[in-house]
Amino acid sequence: MSHDDGRGGLPRTSLEDLERIPVGPDAGSYSSEDWEQLRDLAVGHMQRGDLPTGTRIRWGRLALAALPGKYPEGRSQRLVIESARVRAYLIREFGPDATDPARDLPALRADVLRNLGMPRETAERLADGWQSLPREQMLRLRLAKNLLSALHPVLPLLEDEGAVTGDLRAWLELAPRLP
């Protein structure tokens, strides 16, 4: 992703051109730093209240499309956390929409639960004495807490009483006890 002046970084171009980058033939040639820059740019524009709603949603989708390049090692927990944060922001700002993967609230809840990295019972057992745990276990608990915190913007929307929501609410009650 090079500037027109040859200094590197993102091209100075339109949203339409930037949207082609993740699906273009050169997508594999960009560094994780380039993808991080694209994600940062897209998140910044997604949050601009002076832009039309549809444009902001497109920027949010571009931020999501940049994440696999930022985390080339695959579906890491960090990728899941950042994706959940962007998706939660889009849902909070523009409402849930089951036809839009970026704003599908049930899918976001399911992704969070699926990627917590351990059963809730294990996290509950480890939470009380997390200070004495090996570093690796502390980090697993911390990553779970970060993933759960991504949902705070959509907590008011978690009103249904389905099994997924009940499990998620129990996790959210546990989160303050995690490192």
Side-chain angles (χ1 to χ4, degrees), residues 91-156:
I91 291 167
R92 184 193 76 211
E93 289 294 311
F94 309 112
D97 181 347
T99 66
D100 180 358
R103 295 172 36 221
D104 185 338
L105 183 58
L108 175 59
R109 287 189 307 224
D111 283 350
V112 167
L113 287 171
R114 184 174 47 256
N115 287 285
L116 286 168
M118 69 183 71
R120 188 180 75 246
E121 295 76 21
T122 302
E124 287 172 341
R125 184 174 44 79
L126 296 174
D128 291 330
W130 67 261
Q131 297 88 340
S132 62
L133 292 174
R135 186 175 192 279
E136 182 179 307
Q137 284 183 317
M138 279 190 231
L139 290 175
R140 285 181 62 210
L141 290 172
R142 183 67 184 160
L143 287 170
K145 183 176 185 172
N146 286 338
L147 185 53
L148 291 164
S149 73
L151 292 178
H152 284 288
V154 295
L155 288 179

Side-chain angles (χ1 to χ4, degrees), residues 73-86:
E73 67 274 5
R75 194 137 170 92
S76 73
Q77 204 163 17
R78 288 187 190 127
L79 183 149
V80 174
I81 291 167
E82 284 196 45
S83 174
R85 287 182 178 148
V86 170

